[in-house]
Amino acid sequence: MDSNHDLKITLIGTGTIGLSFAVFHLTHLKSPSQLTIYDTRPDLEKYIQDTLLSFYSSSSPPIPAISEINIAQSLKSAVEGAHIIQESGPENLPFKTALWKEVEQHATKDALLWSSTSGIPASQQSREMQDTSRLLVVHPYNPPNIMPLLELVPSPDTRAELIERTQEFWRARGRVPVHIKKEVTGFVANRLAFALLREAIHLVDAGVVTVAEVDDIVQNSMGPRWAVAGPFKSYHAGGGAGGLEGFFKNIGGTVQGCWDDAGRANVGEEWEQRIFREAEQSYGSVDTTERDMITRRVLEAVKLEKQTSKDD
Amino acid sequence: MDSNHDLKITLIGTGTIGLSFAVFHLTHLKSPSQLTIYDTRPDLEKYIQDTLLSFYSSSSPPIPAISEINIAQSLKSAVEGAHIIQESGPENLPFKTALWKEVEQHATKDALLWSSTSGIPASQQSREMQDTSRLLVVHPYNPPNIMPLLELVPSPDTRAELIERTQEFWRARGRVPVHIKKEVTGFVANRLAFALLREAIHLVDAGVVTVAEVDDIVQNSMGPRWAVAGPFKSYHAGGGAGGLEGFFKNIGGTVQGCWDDAGRANVGEEWEQRIFREAEQSYGSVDTTERDMITRRVLEAVKLEKQTSKDD
């Protein structure tokens, strides 16, 4: 599977994440015929022809011949001979345990088995497999045809060699796979983002700022900053010669003050209806095609500039 | 003061923030002679000549004639006749109360009085002023010559007209002033960022990821995403036709799971030495000139693309 010419990838599930991964692979494989798609959806071939094109609208590479993609008629035929089998099906444990149990029977021994789940750990999904060392979570940041991050979350059983091969695959394609060492709830990216979201909800609920003002604040401060240098690197720089320690020495009191005063909103509480309505009034229907196009330019700007400064 | 030709701006304090604001104003005023700088630092003139140039290294506009800047010899002469008086002095309440008490005696009646503080509310700084309605906080995101956000935090006494004029000033210069309605601890941007930082500290401390991996994750997911669309807008889009409500309907369980499991690190606890050391080992001395140059490109990419799509 080292040669991209022979690589065969099978995608199971054709929701938003599955199709976005299809676009990613199609723009990196030598031929669309190296990709196989399987789903129990009726009229799958027509659905893919119709839907996949819309995912290309925000994508600059040319559209490959979609008709050359293999549409599998059974899970068995989808899986046989594939080097990578990537599942983006329903977020439902019985579905996933049954799927991997069957996949295992037909997949070649050294195939990489990946789940795109955002919440169901590999150790649960693999419960009915004979060899539980074969599976790991490869959680994208939506949409994966644009966002570089992949969270690699193995179960305690997953073989190290499979994690390494998965890292190599994504790195060779310019992506950023990060190995998450424990199967924590929600993995890492969502936990970080949801921590900020909780405080944002609190501040809107307390009448300090509006929904749109929170977004204005983030888009014009930590958003662009963190696109270039993450929080630890930023605060380490902010501490000058003293680094992160200097930063906490200077304003640790303010940091702790913010933490002590932080909100503790919960799902299902009163804030929901007001904030849901405010978001709807502020944004209505968001044009994600525009957002994705701008995000792509931002990522290109960061990549280009970082490359340029390395070359200096 | 509507005409930029006649506008006179006085900056008090020449630390990092003060000098960065100086660069911002110099690139927007018609002439450097419209800017006055005051500090009690010895050798002020030489210090400014030497230091200000280094702030321009990450700045694309041409460097104005720095020798034309007015260096004030006293607070009285610095303040008299100025339309805007902006304080970026030490984060120390007695310093600020004494400063504003004296500024008030010499400033023209309708001058805008701004403090760059990141933590001392206007209602405390104005305690010894005769007219407490004159002052507001204008808190930048560092460095203000590059980052668009300004948090405008009035005290309950601050006159609405002064907030409006302050908003107009920054908007006319392409910046994003956001009116924070309550004097909450740490204002809004830092509260949001510190909420995420607390969870990041917890996850590193728990051995889930390293300091550098947290930064890799943020730089390749929510950083670029939030540079384009803030958290509410992103999750509203993520909910599809159901908006933010649909988002919580779909994965509210995972969100609450992350919140319930969130860390509660505190300043001064055991994690500090390990994480400070890890940041130092990962980053040593950060090249902020490079970071600022890349950040500028990112902001330009977002601005250009948003403008282009508006024109379509």
Side-chain angles (χ1 to χ4, degrees):
Chain A
M1 81 146 251
D2 282 341
S3 163
N4 196 20
H5 284 279
D6 307 323
L7 188 66
K8 285 185 183 172
I9 298 180
T10 291
L11 299 180
I12 299 168
T14 55
T16 309
I17 298 286
L19 289 179
S20 173
F21 270 127
V23 168
F24 176 84
H25 293 309
L26 286 169
T27 50
H28 288 81
L29 288 166
K30 296 287 169 188
S31 158
S33 65
Q34 294 172 267
L35 188 69
T36 297
I37 295 183
Y38 177 68
D39 198 326
T40 53
R41 184 190 294 270
D43 250 349
L44 181 59
E45 198 146 351
K46 185 177 178 322
Y47 168 80
I48 286 174
Q49 295 283 343
D50 294 349
T51 321
L52 208 50
L53 288 174
S54 77
F55 276 80
Y56 274 95
S57 60
S58 59
S59 177
S60 42
I63 299 171
I66 288 181
S67 59
E68 291 176 32
I69 299 169
N70 302 297
I71 308 296
Q73 300 303 321
S74 70
L75 184 61
K76 179 171 182 291
S77 67
V79 157
E80 279 175 345
H83 302 97
I84 291 172
I85 298 159
Q86 187 171 15
E87 171 279 321
S88 309
E91 287 290 75
N92 168 321
L93 182 57
F95 165 82
K96 291 188 198 288
T97 51
L99 177 78
W100 292 122
K101 187 181 176 183
E102 193 179 346
V103 165
E104 186 183 36
Q105 294 170 30
H106 308 294
T108 55
K109 229 177 52 185
D110 61 353
L112 292 170
L113 308 187
W114 299 340
S115 168
S116 306
T117 183
S118 62
I120 307 176
S123 57
Q124 288 181 33
Q125 295 191 37
S126 64
R127 277 200 304 225
E128 296 185 18
M129 293 175 80
Q130 299 217 317
D131 179 359
T132 57
S133 78
R134 301 186 64 179
L135 184 67
L136 75 156
V137 166
V138 176
H139 176 230
Y141 200 82
N142 198 22
N145 63 317
I146 295 187
M147 304 306 289
L149 177 69
L150 286 311
E151 294 184 277
L152 273 43
V153 197
S155 80
D157 286 358
T158 309
R159 290 203 303 278
E161 172 250 339
L162 299 178
I163 305 169
E164 283 155 26
R165 279 171 55 209
T166 302
Q167 284 179 312
E168 278 164 29
F169 175 91
W170 291 106
R171 283 200 189 119
R173 285 153 184 81
R175 297 286 149 154
V176 180
V178 176
H179 175 185
I180 311 297
K181 275 91 177 176
K182 295 181 182 176
E183 288 186 310
V184 289
T185 305
F187 315 136
V188 173
N190 278 342
R191 285 179 77 111
L192 296 175
F194 294 163
L196 184 143
L197 178 66
R198 191 180 208 180
E199 183 61 12
I201 288 168
H202 164 66
L203 291 168
V204 172
D205 196 41
V208 178
V209 272
T210 66
V211 160
E213 284 166 345
V214 163
D215 288 339
D216 274 344
I217 287 171
V218 174
Q219 285 165 220
N220 290 286
S221 57
M222 65 213 82
R225 163 60 43 78
W226 290 346
V228 179
F232 282 119
K233 190 172 184 180
S234 294
Y235 292 128
H236 182 71
L244 192 62
E245 182 161 12
F247 170 80
F248 271 93
K249 203 172 162 187
N250 292 341
I251 70 153
T254 301
V255 175
Q256 186 66 46
C258 291
W259 288 350
D260 290 340
D261 197 42
R264 299 271 178 272
N266 290 298
V267 172
E269 287 175 353
E270 249 181 282
W271 58 268
E272 285 197 340
Q273 284 318 308
R274 206 187 116 210
I275 291 184
F276 292 165
R277 200 163 45 238
E278 200 180 319
E280 184 59 36
Q281 282 163 356
S282 300
Y283 300 121
S285 170
V286 177
D287 181 353
T288 52
T289 304
E290 181 192 305
R291 182 198 65 182
D292 289 348
M293 188 190 63
I294 302 176
T295 306
R296 190 184 284 279
R297 296 286 172 267
V298 166
L299 291 165
E300 284 169 356
V302 175
K303 202 169 178 179
L304 186 70
E305 291 291 337
K306 289 203 173 170
Q307 195 50 54
T308 308
S309 25
K310 261 186 207 157
D311 295 345
D312 282 351
Chain B
M1 80 147 250
D2 283 341
S3 162
N4 196 19
H5 284 279
D6 307 323
L7 187 67
K8 285 183 181 172
I9 298 180
T10 291
L11 299 181
I12 299 168
T14 54
T16 309
I17 298 287
L19 289 179
S20 173
F21 269 127
V23 168
F24 177 83
H25 293 309
L26 286 169
T27 50
H28 288 82
L29 288 166
K30 295 288 170 187
S31 157
S33 65
Q34 293 171 269
L35 188 70
T36 297
I37 295 182
Y38 177 68
D39 198 324
T40 52
R41 186 191 292 271
D43 251 348
L44 182 58
E45 199 145 351
K46 184 177 179 321
Y47 169 79
I48 286 174
Q49 295 283 342
D50 294 349
T51 321
L52 208 49
L53 289 174
S54 77
F55 277 80
Y56 274 94
S57 60
S58 59
S59 177
S60 41
I63 299 170
I66 287 180
S67 59
E68 290 176 33
I69 299 170
N70 302 297
I71 308 297
Q73 301 303 319
S74 71
L75 183 61
K76 181 172 181 291
S77 67
V79 158
E80 280 175 344
H83 302 98
I84 291 172
I85 298 159
Q86 187 172 13
E87 171 278 321
S88 308
E91 287 289 75
N92 166 325
L93 181 58
F95 165 82
K96 292 189 198 286
T97 52
L99 177 78
W100 292 121
K101 187 182 176 184
E102 193 179 343
V103 165
E104 187 183 35
Q105 294 171 30
H106 308 295
T108 55
K109 230 179 49 187
D110 61 353
L112 293 171
L113 308 187
W114 298 342
S115 169
S116 306
T117 183
S118 62
I120 307 176
S123 58
Q124 289 183 32
Q125 295 190 38
S126 65
R127 278 202 303 226
E128 296 184 19
M129 293 175 79
Q130 299 216 318
D131 180 359
T132 56
S133 78
R134 302 185 64 177
L135 185 67
L136 74 157
V137 166
V138 177
H139 176 230
Y141 199 82
N142 197 23
N145 63 317
I146 295 187
M147 304 305 289
L149 177 68
L150 287 309
E151 293 184 277
L152 274 42
V153 197
S155 80
D157 286 359
T158 309
R159 290 203 303 276
E161 173 249 339
L162 299 178
I163 305 168
E164 285 155 24
R165 280 170 54 207
T166 303
Q167 284 179 313
E168 279 164 27
F169 174 90
W170 291 106
R171 283 200 189 119
R173 285 153 184 80
R175 296 286 149 154
V176 180
V178 176
H179 176 185
I180 311 298
K181 275 89 177 178
K182 295 181 182 177
E183 288 186 310
V184 289
T185 305
F187 314 137
V188 173
N190 278 341
R191 285 178 77 111
L192 296 175
F194 294 162
L196 183 144
L197 178 65
R198 192 181 208 181
E199 183 61 11
I201 288 168
H202 165 65
L203 291 169
V204 173
D205 196 40
V208 178
V209 272
T210 66
V211 159
E213 283 167 345
V214 163
D215 289 339
D216 275 343
I217 287 171
V218 174
Q219 286 165 221
N220 291 286
S221 58
M222 65 212 83
R225 163 60 44 78
W226 289 346
V228 180
F232 282 119
K233 191 171 184 180
S234 293
Y235 292 129
H236 182 71
L244 192 61
E245 183 161 14
F247 170 80
F248 272 93
K249 203 172 161 189
N250 292 342
I251 69 152
T254 301
V255 175
Q256 187 66 46
C258 291
W259 288 351
D260 289 341
D261 197 41
R264 299 272 179 269
N266 290 299
V267 173
E269 287 175 354
E270 250 180 283
W271 59 268
E272 286 196 340
Q273 284 318 309
R274 206 188 116 210
I275 291 183
F276 292 165
R277 200 163 45 236
E278 199 179 319
E280 184 60 36
Q281 283 163 355
S282 299
Y283 299 121
S285 170
V286 177
D287 181 353
T288 52
T289 303
E290 179 191 305
R291 181 198 68 184
D292 289 349
M293 188 189 63
I294 302 177
T295 306
R296 191 183 284 278
R297 297 285 172 268
V298 166
L299 290 164
E300 284 169 357
V302 175
K303 203 170 177 178
L304 185 70
E305 292 291 337
K306 288 203 173 169
Q307 196 50 54
T308 309
S309 24
K310 261 187 206 156
D311 295 345
D312 282 350

